[in-house]
Amino acid sequence: MAGSPSRSASRRLQLPLLCLFLQGATTVLFAVFVRYDHETDASLWHRGNHSNAENEFYFRYPSFQDVHAMVFVGFGFLMVFLQRYGFSSVGFTFLLAAFALQWSTLVQGFLHSFDSGHIHVGMESMINADFCAGAVLISFGAVLGKTGPAQLLLMALLEVVLFGVNEFVLLNLLGVRDSGGSMTIHTFGAYFGLVLSRVLYRPQLEKSRHRQGSVYHSDLFAMIGTIFLWIFWPSFNSALTALGAGQHRTALNTYYSLAASTLGTFALSALVGEDGRLDMVHIQNAVLAGGVVVGTSSEMMLTPFGALAAGFLAGTVSTLGYKFFTPILELKFKVQDTCGVHNLHGMPGVLGALLGVLMARLATHEAYGDGLESVFPLIAKGQRSATSQAMHQLFGLFVTLLFASVGGALGGLLLKLPFLDSPPDSQCYEDQVHWEVLGEHEDKAQRPLRMEEADTQA
Amino acid sequence: MAGSPSRSASRRLQLPLLCLFLQGATTVLFAVFVRYDHETDASLWHRGNHSNAENEFYFRYPSFQDVHAMVFVGFGFLMVFLQRYGFSSVGFTFLLAAFALQWSTLVQGFLHSFDSGHIHVGMESMINADFCAGAVLISFGAVLGKTGPAQLLLMALLEVVLFGVNEFVLLNLLGVRDSGGSMTIHTFGAYFGLVLSRVLYRPQLEKSRHRQGSVYHSDLFAMIGTIFLWIFWPSFNSALTALGAGQHRTALNTYYSLAASTLGTFALSALVGEDGRLDMVHIQNAVLAGGVVVGTSSEMMLTPFGALAAGFLAGTVSTLGYKFFTPILELKFKVQDTCGVHNLHGMPGVLGALLGVLMARLATHEAYGDGLESVFPLIAKGQRSATSQAMHQLFGLFVTLLFASVGGALGGLLLKLPFLDSPPDSQCYEDQVHWEVLGEHEDKAQRPLRMEEADTQA
Amino acid sequence: MAGSPSRSASRRLQLPLLCLFLQGATTVLFAVFVRYDHETDASLWHRGNHSNAENEFYFRYPSFQDVHAMVFVGFGFLMVFLQRYGFSSVGFTFLLAAFALQWSTLVQGFLHSFDSGHIHVGMESMINADFCAGAVLISFGAVLGKTGPAQLLLMALLEVVLFGVNEFVLLNLLGVRDSGGSMTIHTFGAYFGLVLSRVLYRPQLEKSRHRQGSVYHSDLFAMIGTIFLWIFWPSFNSALTALGAGQHRTALNTYYSLAASTLGTFALSALVGEDGRLDMVHIQNAVLAGGVVVGTSSEMMLTPFGALAAGFLAGTVSTLGYKFFTPILELKFKVQDTCGVHNLHGMPGVLGALLGVLMARLATHEAYGDGLESVFPLIAKGQRSATSQAMHQLFGLFVTLLFASVGGALGGLLLKLPFLDSPPDSQCYEDQVHWEVLGEHEDKAQRPLRMEEADTQA
């Protein structure tokens, strides 16, 4: 990059050394603690004992692959909308997710499946790890373009721990239901990122304003992300619900909710748009709010009508958020939310949690029959009333907001450590800070020459 | 958009009001009529009664997800080839499909699963709704760039009803077999769109000719669509066939047919191309004709040889159609077929229907054994001879062409209603009519500024 | 293409005639030899005999679809990085894969499932054919931009045969284990392509150097390929492993290995990059080395720790290869490796084979229990010691390198036949040689006009 000053060795080495350290530490911890579970260990699994048809792997694996596609393709490309930050958006998505899924295997393993000194891993660990990576990528969306990769890895290091603890408190201690993660994934990820972005507030960000938009092609790339999130969301919400009717119903509700949020988004985007025109930012994001808003309740007896109503509400709220609330968030609350995660994950996540409160309150033995056992086990066993379950759900939302806020604040302080490499205000949303991009974007960069030049200059 | 006159309020409000009305009406109808079926209702489904392994959900869901990906990614991106219409291609695909799948759940539900005052929904409703959305998107391809989103929603409103009725007549009344929809989806969708495009014929479309081509990157985006359609077509054709050998055979036949149509397309494209050069339009589309042409027969005992032969034929016919017939269609028949759906869905769909006639005529108890029951139940039960089944298949094709033509004509008249917002002849194939695109495509559009400007001007 | 001389009729007709001949010959051979197997034939399959839950189709099909997506989307788009060769990269991927999967169905069928005069096809033939197509596409990566489509089809014609024979020797004669193809797919495909590229060495390739790089958008397109390969690699390695724990463990190991190779790649890319900057070439490719390196051993009791360590090693070796070895390969060994397949498939493939040797040597009855039967059947039956199995694995690597080298050399001689159409040194990495691309890439090419022009000039 012609004319830009070289970074000091200590800054240049931050990313490689942090990667090496984190991967080294993770590998050692895996060596000590992680073992195959009885479904993946050759000596523990016996074909004779249970037929393949009873092997849970086969009921979960297709959904896992959809979740995996959603996390990497979906989140990765959704953030490519920025005109000069595509390499970073996709690249750091890879880096963060790859680290988060190893690290959360350890964290969640210690909390959930630590047994006789070992963590046992299989299908569910993979899905849970991908869920955690999703939360980290949501937070990434709030600070996109304003943080370096070493900072992001430190963010993930902290966030994965808090994600695991929050989820453990909700699901195991409070008996909260949240199969698709309205609270544990979306609300947590969004407010963690927003508070962190608040702490990292840059008053001089105006200097990079000219790069903070999209170009025609970058918007089309982002739509790849949107579509992947949209089509695979039914699998995301149902990946870990009860096998059978539970999983089936979850997918169905999510499917309807997304359809309704899409029409709601188009209606509101055209309504508030200049001369009735649609805004690509709304379509890229708000059509997905239907998936977020049923994250808690899609396994419940929401009814197809309920799914449509919830999705429609989420799509409209999210679109209005992009139009009217994002500017306020920045001007009044000093929160610079690059991807608008408050509109896509924050508000719809909170709405989804409240919808879960309502559905828990309405749960009856009549409505659920034998299925009550798998959706609300504590009510089925008579240990809790529906009202009590509803209060626990509501309390779970507050706990999540608390963990996310405190965590985001801690994360912000951590990322402000002065020796950490962070892009200057005038170089935000710019790939060239982190990537070898020869000259301008339309340059005919030549690989072999690039190598030779590097050799010559070295 | 500098210099373009503002639209009147009544035109600006068409899309939002129509979205709100359609979503509102659908939601009310869902509230009144739609209920979970016995596989998705918590109180009706009993784990004890049948193991997960017998739950049809698990045999259908992976295919459903593939169909879903194919409809949204495939059709959405295949239409992105136009240089200035990418937002509309992908965006309206979302809008149309999201509405069609709700509306067709109702229409198909009333026709197929209306029971004691309710429609019961589950896995098969989702797949059927996606199939119907596919037909709507095929019609969209014929009028791409020449219709506004409100017009398109009205088209879908009508087409979904006729799709449902046509399918009901064929499958339930005539006992026609058409698992992958050569007739019900491809032939119907193509000729509905083509007749509609004929009614909407624009003699002055020349004014937008300079926008009616691709650029290098838009062709690459379109290839994303092509690949998704190609790889997931085996799941599309097999999504609703009989479990077991039927589904397996359908996927296999489709796989071979697509491979052969690919080589046929390359051969013909190079043969008719200037100086032996390949044409991206052919590759984007005609390689897929192999999936269309076995839509009816892939569940039958087509043999792997038959699949290759059919696919090869379809690939060559489709390529020749793009080269020689599309210009004639416009000049002589006044049908402006933006995506060439006549070549990809129309002719291969009719060929596929005829191949189904042939396969039905050749069906014997020897060739199908016990499998005859699931492929040709009426022949298996002795209620029909193979010849009679073949005649019914042929009659089904005529019924489809009739429904599509009459429906397309009605649709065209509906869309010509003078108060509907439609792009002028000089603004076809142009995103700026419908979307906020600041200045030219290479502009460095800035999101926050865009919002501020809108505020200032308001 | 203004100014470029027209090709002679014999050169123009090479591609169409070769396509027609190959498709014709394949179709005839299918007619004579290929039949449905007992799982796809309507008359042989009896629903009564075995429930759907025991139908292997349902355990393999979702993985097959992932492999299919990986081969077409993954390999197709990974090679789109070149600035002016996107049409060819994606287009010829289609052409080669579509031919390879038909041809390898025949070749592998003759070797593996020839019975009473017929080849019987079903799920496993489809997966095996896709695996073979993967190997052909790896070789394509080595010669990308320097060969015409007719040459590539001849390469595939030869390579598919040698792939089949090599695989047969390893798996059936030597009893080597290689479920994810570290040897049979990656090592074979890479060295076949590299030796072929050596034989086709172009000393004057400098003339096309200005086209041998990426532009900003082409690098983003390539990342679509990277992500698809990354997310679906667990399905690739496990597609044909033993049902149950074997498949589950294979997916899990691959998942961890890829995560670790990603962090290894980022660490090394930043370490060796100018001023600490990351190189998109490394990220696009080396993050995938973790999938290659566990291709042999992921079904074994590698342990999660082992998967992380192997993946990390592969990511670092691959990144260093791109930085330091690729230039040497060209300057010293005269191997022009366009996509760097030596770094992504060659070295990691050999490492993966050696890891398989180690894991075989370490195999014990204690570690595998009953699972030994499915992973190392010859050890389980007592026909071989672990040491003997390890030696056989090592011998399998040498056999693979031998077949690949001899095959690549033969292929190179075949492709040098003087009458074959090959791009001149100054027209390498250029779509306009093979495709109708009007003027420069940013041209507003108009489809209908293009057709009219062709008519006028004809």
Side-chain angles (χ1 to χ4, degrees):
Chain A
M1 204 170 109
S4 81
S6 282
R7 287 181 282 191
S8 68
S10 74
R11 288 184 179 249
R12 275 196 285 116
L13 290 175
Q14 273 177 24
L15 178 62
L17 293 186
L18 190 57
C19 284
L20 292 176
F21 170 74
L22 291 177
Q23 187 58 55
T26 308
T27 307
V28 169
L29 290 170
F30 262 62
V32 178
F33 292 114
V34 180
R35 300 291 179 269
Y36 295 125
D37 71 8
H38 67 283
E39 295 264 338
T40 40
D41 190 300
S43 65
L44 297 179
W45 186 81
H46 301 284
R47 195 187 160 125
N49 290 5
H50 55 328
S51 79
N52 289 313
E54 290 163 32
N55 193 329
E56 198 166 324
F57 173 70
Y58 291 103
F59 300 107
R60 302 278 185 205
Y61 188 71
S63 295
F64 157 71
Q65 277 288 15
D66 293 347
V67 171
H68 213 43
M70 198 173 145
V71 168
F72 283 84
V73 186
F75 285 112
F77 271 92
L78 187 61
M79 295 191 267
V80 173
F81 72 94
L82 290 167
Q83 57 187 274
R84 296 169 72 92
Y85 208 63
F87 290 8
S88 302
S89 297
V90 174
F92 299 161
T93 290
F94 249 99
L95 177 64
L96 284 180
F99 170 61
L101 58 84
Q102 296 177 59
W103 181 224
S104 77
T105 297
L106 288 165
V107 170
Q108 298 185 11
F110 278 118
L111 290 165
H112 291 282
S113 64
F114 198 68
D115 182 29
S116 52
H118 290 126
I119 293 165
H120 294 93
V121 293
M123 194 71 254
E124 293 203 9
S125 353
M126 293 160 78
I127 297 174
N128 273 314
D130 267 41
F131 277 178
C132 179
V136 172
L137 294 175
I138 292 167
S139 304
F140 177 36
V143 298
L144 189 77
K146 302 171 291 181
T147 40
Q151 285 182 303
L152 290 169
L153 280 174
L154 290 180
M155 179 191 85
L157 185 69
L158 176 68
E159 183 170 0
V160 166
V161 175
L162 289 171
F163 174 93
V165 173
N166 180 58
E167 190 192 54
F168 183 76
V169 171
L170 262 67
L171 306 191
N172 293 47
L173 302 188
L174 296 177
V176 162
R177 302 297 298 179
D178 192 24
S179 64
S182 285
M183 286 177 271
T184 53
I185 300 170
H186 299 287
T187 305
F188 178 82
Y191 289 98
F192 185 98
L194 291 166
V195 172
L196 195 150
S197 185
R198 173 68 189 81
V199 178
L200 299 180
Y201 179 68
R202 289 169 181 260
Q204 302 294 317
L205 193 57
E206 199 61 38
K207 293 178 183 172
S208 293
R209 211 47 117 187
H210 58 289
R211 260 184 250 105
Q212 202 192 345
S214 58
V215 285
Y216 196 69
H217 282 118
S218 69
D219 269 327
L220 282 179
F221 276 116
M223 279 301 288
I224 298 175
T226 302
I227 297 187
F228 268 81
L229 291 165
W230 205 94
I231 58 176
F232 290 134
W233 217 298
S235 295
F236 188 90
N237 281 347
S238 68
L240 287 178
T241 50
L243 293 181
Q247 214 163 21
H248 200 155
R249 186 172 57 250
T250 309
L252 188 70
N253 285 331
T254 308
Y255 174 88
Y256 286 134
S257 180
L258 285 160
S261 69
T262 302
L263 266 85
T265 301
F266 273 87
L268 270 286
S269 183
L271 203 60
V272 303
E274 186 196 351
D275 200 25
R277 290 208 182 79
L278 297 159
D279 189 329
M280 206 62 190
V281 181
H282 305 159
I283 309 306
Q284 280 161 8
N285 292 280
V287 298
L288 301 168
V292 178
V293 81
V294 296
T296 301
S297 57
S298 53
E299 68 167 334
M300 302 171 188
M301 287 294 284
L302 182 59
T303 77
F305 156 73
L308 288 185
F312 177 74
L313 179 69
T316 56
V317 166
S318 183
T319 307
L320 293 173
Y322 275 99
K323 181 72 185 179
F324 300 109
F325 195 60
T326 294
I328 294 173
L329 204 62
E330 174 157 4
L331 293 173
K332 300 280 162 59
F333 297 93
K334 298 187 188 305
V335 177
Q336 292 154 330
D337 178 8
T338 312
C339 290
V341 301
H342 188 255
N343 309 307
L344 173 49
H345 302 279
M347 290 189 296
V350 171
L351 280 179
L354 296 177
L355 185 58
V357 173
L358 178 66
M359 291 309 300
R361 179 63 193 80
L362 297 176
T364 61
H365 284 271
E366 289 69 39
Y368 288 80
D370 289 358
L372 193 61
E373 174 67 31
S374 66
V375 181
F376 293 114
L378 297 177
I379 302 181
K381 288 177 203 151
Q383 295 177 10
R384 252 184 212 175
S385 68
T387 309
S388 167
Q389 179 68 34
M391 297 312 296
H392 279 84
Q393 296 282 139
L394 189 61
F395 188 59
L397 174 60
F398 288 116
V399 171
T400 300
L401 289 169
L402 186 70
F403 268 104
S405 305
V406 173
L410 286 175
L413 295 175
L414 178 68
L415 268 58
K416 279 187 113 169
L417 289 176
F419 55 83
L420 284 176
D421 195 33
S422 176
D425 287 345
S426 63
Q427 293 290 316
C428 287
Y429 318 115
E430 172 59 62
D431 272 337
Q432 294 202 25
V433 180
H434 311 294
W435 299 84
E436 293 189 11
V437 187
L438 271 197
E440 282 307 295
H441 291 270
E442 298 307 310
D443 269 14
K444 313 297 188 220
Q446 295 168 28
R447 261 153 226 238
L449 282 183
R450 207 192 299 179
M451 281 188 246
E452 287 158 30
E453 282 184 0
D455 291 345
T456 317
Q457 293 179 13
Chain B
M1 202 169 108
S4 81
S6 281
R7 286 181 283 188
S8 68
S10 74
R11 287 184 180 251
R12 276 196 285 116
L13 291 175
Q14 273 177 24
L15 178 62
L17 293 185
L18 190 57
C19 284
L20 292 176
F21 170 74
L22 291 177
Q23 187 58 55
T26 309
T27 307
V28 170
L29 290 170
F30 263 62
V32 178
F33 292 114
V34 179
R35 299 291 179 271
Y36 295 125
D37 70 9
H38 67 283
E39 294 264 338
T40 40
D41 190 300
S43 64
L44 299 179
W45 186 81
H46 300 284
R47 195 187 159 125
N49 290 4
H50 55 328
S51 79
N52 290 314
E54 291 164 31
N55 194 329
E56 197 165 324
F57 174 70
Y58 291 104
F59 299 107
R60 302 279 184 203
Y61 189 70
S63 295
F64 158 70
Q65 278 290 16
D66 293 346
V67 171
H68 214 42
M70 198 174 145
V71 168
F72 284 83
V73 187
F75 286 112
F77 271 91
L78 186 60
M79 295 192 266
V80 173
F81 72 94
L82 290 167
Q83 57 187 274
R84 295 170 73 92
Y85 208 63
F87 289 8
S88 303
S89 297
V90 174
F92 299 162
T93 289
F94 249 99
L95 177 65
L96 284 180
F99 169 62
L101 57 85
Q102 296 178 58
W103 180 224
S104 77
T105 298
L106 288 164
V107 170
Q108 298 184 12
F110 279 118
L111 291 166
H112 291 282
S113 64
F114 197 68
D115 182 29
S116 54
H118 290 126
I119 293 165
H120 293 91
V121 293
M123 194 70 256
E124 292 203 11
S125 351
M126 293 160 78
I127 297 175
N128 273 314
D130 266 41
F131 277 177
C132 179
V136 172
L137 294 174
I138 291 167
S139 304
F140 178 35
V143 298
L144 188 78
K146 301 170 292 179
T147 41
Q151 287 182 303
L152 291 169
L153 280 174
L154 290 180
M155 178 191 85
L157 186 69
L158 175 68
E159 182 170 0
V160 167
V161 175
L162 289 171
F163 174 93
V165 173
N166 179 58
E167 191 190 55
F168 182 77
V169 170
L170 262 66
L171 306 191
N172 294 46
L173 303 188
L174 296 178
V176 162
R177 303 296 299 181
D178 192 25
S179 64
S182 285
M183 286 178 271
T184 54
I185 301 170
H186 300 287
T187 304
F188 178 83
Y191 289 99
F192 185 99
L194 290 166
V195 172
L196 196 151
S197 185
R198 173 67 190 81
V199 177
L200 299 180
Y201 179 68
R202 290 170 181 260
Q204 301 293 317
L205 194 57
E206 198 60 36
K207 293 179 183 172
S208 291
R209 210 48 116 187
H210 58 289
R211 261 184 248 106
Q212 201 191 346
S214 58
V215 286
Y216 196 70
H217 281 118
S218 69
D219 269 327
L220 282 179
F221 275 117
M223 279 303 286
I224 298 175
T226 301
I227 297 186
F228 268 81
L229 290 164
W230 206 94
I231 57 176
F232 289 135
W233 217 298
S235 295
F236 188 90
N237 282 347
S238 67
L240 287 178
T241 51
L243 292 181
Q247 214 163 21
H248 200 154
R249 185 172 57 248
T250 309
L252 188 70
N253 285 332
T254 309
Y255 175 87
Y256 286 134
S257 179
L258 284 160
S261 69
T262 303
L263 267 84
T265 300
F266 273 87
L268 270 287
S269 183
L271 204 58
V272 302
E274 187 196 351
D275 200 26
R277 290 206 181 82
L278 297 158
D279 189 329
M280 207 62 190
V281 181
H282 305 160
I283 309 306
Q284 279 161 9
N285 292 280
V287 298
L288 301 167
V292 178
V293 80
V294 295
T296 301
S297 57
S298 53
E299 69 168 334
M300 303 171 187
M301 287 293 285
L302 182 59
T303 77
F305 156 73
L308 289 186
F312 176 74
L313 179 68
T316 55
V317 166
S318 183
T319 306
L320 293 173
Y322 274 99
K323 181 73 184 177
F324 300 110
F325 196 60
T326 294
I328 294 173
L329 205 62
E330 176 157 3
L331 293 173
K332 300 281 163 59
F333 296 93
K334 297 186 189 307
V335 178
Q336 291 154 331
D337 178 8
T338 313
C339 290
V341 301
H342 187 255
N343 310 307
L344 174 49
H345 301 280
M347 289 188 296
V350 171
L351 280 179
L354 296 176
L355 186 58
V357 173
L358 177 67
M359 292 309 300
R361 179 62 194 79
L362 296 177
T364 61
H365 284 271
E366 288 69 40
Y368 287 80
D370 289 358
L372 192 61
E373 174 67 32
S374 66
V375 182
F376 292 114
L378 298 177
I379 302 181
K381 289 177 202 150
Q383 296 175 10
R384 252 184 213 176
S385 66
T387 309
S388 166
Q389 179 68 34
M391 296 313 295
H392 280 83
Q393 296 281 139
L394 187 62
F395 188 59
L397 174 61
F398 287 115
V399 170
T400 300
L401 289 169
L402 186 70
F403 268 103
S405 305
V406 173
L410 286 175
L413 295 175
L414 178 68
L415 267 60
K416 279 187 114 169
L417 289 176
F419 55 83
L420 285 176
D421 195 32
S422 176
D425 288 345
S426 63
Q427 293 290 316
C428 287
Y429 318 116
E430 173 58 63
D431 271 337
Q432 294 202 25
V433 181
H434 312 293
W435 299 84
E436 293 190 12
V437 186
L438 272 198
E440 283 308 294
H441 290 269
E442 297 307 310
D443 269 13
K444 313 297 188 218
Q446 295 168 28
R447 258 155 228 239
L449 281 185
R450 207 191 301 178
M451 282 189 246
E452 287 158 29
E453 283 185 357
D455 291 346
T456 316
Q457 295 179 9
Chain C
M1 204 170 108
S4 80
S6 281
R7 285 181 282 188
S8 68
S10 74
R11 288 185 177 249
R12 277 196 284 117
L13 290 175
Q14 272 176 25
L15 177 62
L17 293 185
L18 190 58
C19 283
L20 292 176
F21 171 73
L22 291 177
Q23 187 58 56
T26 308
T27 307
V28 170
L29 290 170
F30 263 62
V32 178
F33 292 114
V34 179
R35 299 291 178 271
Y36 295 125
D37 71 8
H38 67 284
E39 295 264 338
T40 40
D41 190 301
S43 65
L44 298 179
W45 186 80
H46 301 284
R47 195 186 159 125
N49 290 4
H50 55 327
S51 80
N52 290 314
E54 290 164 31
N55 193 330
E56 197 166 324
F57 173 69
Y58 291 102
F59 299 108
R60 303 278 185 204
Y61 189 71
S63 296
F64 158 70
Q65 277 289 14
D66 294 347
V67 170
H68 213 42
M70 197 174 146
V71 168
F72 283 84
V73 186
F75 285 112
F77 271 91
L78 186 62
M79 294 191 266
V80 172
F81 72 93
L82 290 167
Q83 58 186 273
R84 295 169 73 94
Y85 208 64
F87 289 8
S88 303
S89 297
V90 175
F92 299 161
T93 290
F94 249 99
L95 177 64
L96 284 180
F99 170 61
L101 58 84
Q102 296 178 58
W103 180 225
S104 77
T105 298
L106 288 164
V107 170
Q108 297 185 12
F110 278 118
L111 290 166
H112 290 282
S113 63
F114 197 68
D115 182 29
S116 52
H118 291 126
I119 293 165
H120 294 92
V121 293
M123 194 71 254
E124 293 203 9
S125 352
M126 292 160 78
I127 297 175
N128 273 315
D130 266 41
F131 277 177
C132 179
V136 172
L137 294 174
I138 291 167
S139 304
F140 177 36
V143 297
L144 188 77
K146 301 171 291 180
T147 40
Q151 286 182 304
L152 290 169
L153 279 174
L154 290 179
M155 179 190 85
L157 184 70
L158 175 69
E159 183 170 1
V160 166
V161 175
L162 289 171
F163 174 92
V165 173
N166 180 58
E167 191 191 55
F168 182 77
V169 170
L170 262 66
L171 306 191
N172 293 47
L173 302 188
L174 296 178
V176 163
R177 303 297 299 180
D178 192 24
S179 64
S182 285
M183 286 177 271
T184 53
I185 301 170
H186 300 288
T187 304
F188 177 83
Y191 289 99
F192 184 99
L194 291 166
V195 172
L196 195 150
S197 185
R198 172 67 189 82
V199 178
L200 298 181
Y201 179 68
R202 289 169 181 260
Q204 302 294 317
L205 193 57
E206 199 60 38
K207 294 179 183 173
S208 292
R209 211 49 117 186
H210 58 289
R211 262 183 248 106
Q212 202 192 347
S214 58
V215 286
Y216 196 70
H217 281 119
S218 68
D219 270 326
L220 282 179
F221 275 116
M223 278 303 286
I224 298 175
T226 302
I227 297 187
F228 268 82
L229 290 164
W230 205 93
I231 58 177
F232 289 135
W233 216 297
S235 295
F236 188 90
N237 282 347
S238 67
L240 287 178
T241 50
L243 292 181
Q247 215 164 21
H248 200 155
R249 186 173 57 249
T250 309
L252 188 70
N253 285 332
T254 309
Y255 174 88
Y256 286 134
S257 179
L258 285 160
S261 69
T262 302
L263 267 85
T265 300
F266 273 88
L268 270 286
S269 182
L271 203 60
V272 302
E274 186 196 352
D275 200 25
R277 291 207 182 80
L278 297 158
D279 188 329
M280 206 62 190
V281 181
H282 305 159
I283 309 305
Q284 280 161 7
N285 292 281
V287 297
L288 300 167
V292 177
V293 80
V294 296
T296 301
S297 57
S298 53
E299 69 167 334
M300 303 170 187
M301 287 294 285
L302 183 59
T303 77
F305 156 73
L308 289 185
F312 176 74
L313 179 69
T316 55
V317 166
S318 182
T319 307
L320 294 173
Y322 276 98
K323 181 72 183 177
F324 300 110
F325 195 60
T326 294
I328 295 174
L329 204 63
E330 175 158 2
L331 293 173
K332 300 281 162 59
F333 296 94
K334 298 185 188 307
V335 177
Q336 291 153 332
D337 178 8
T338 313
C339 290
V341 302
H342 188 254
N343 309 307
L344 173 48
H345 301 280
M347 289 189 297
V350 171
L351 280 179
L354 296 176
L355 186 57
V357 173
L358 178 65
M359 291 308 300
R361 179 61 194 83
L362 296 177
T364 61
H365 284 271
E366 289 68 40
Y368 287 79
D370 289 358
L372 193 61
E373 174 68 30
S374 66
V375 182
F376 292 114
L378 297 177
I379 302 181
K381 289 178 204 152
Q383 296 176 9
R384 254 184 210 173
S385 67
T387 309
S388 166
Q389 180 68 34
M391 297 312 295
H392 279 83
Q393 296 281 138
L394 188 61
F395 188 59
L397 174 61
F398 287 116
V399 170
T400 300
L401 289 169
L402 186 70
F403 268 104
S405 306
V406 173
L410 286 175
L413 296 175
L414 178 68
L415 267 59
K416 280 187 112 167
L417 289 176
F419 55 81
L420 284 177
D421 196 31
S422 177
D425 287 347
S426 62
Q427 293 290 317
C428 286
Y429 317 116
E430 173 59 62
D431 271 338
Q432 294 203 26
V433 180
H434 311 295
W435 299 83
E436 292 189 12
V437 186
L438 272 196
E440 281 308 295
H441 290 270
E442 297 306 310
D443 268 15
K444 313 297 187 217
Q446 295 169 29
R447 259 155 229 240
L449 282 184
R450 206 191 301 178
M451 280 189 246
E452 287 157 30
E453 281 184 0
D455 291 346
T456 316
Q457 294 180 11

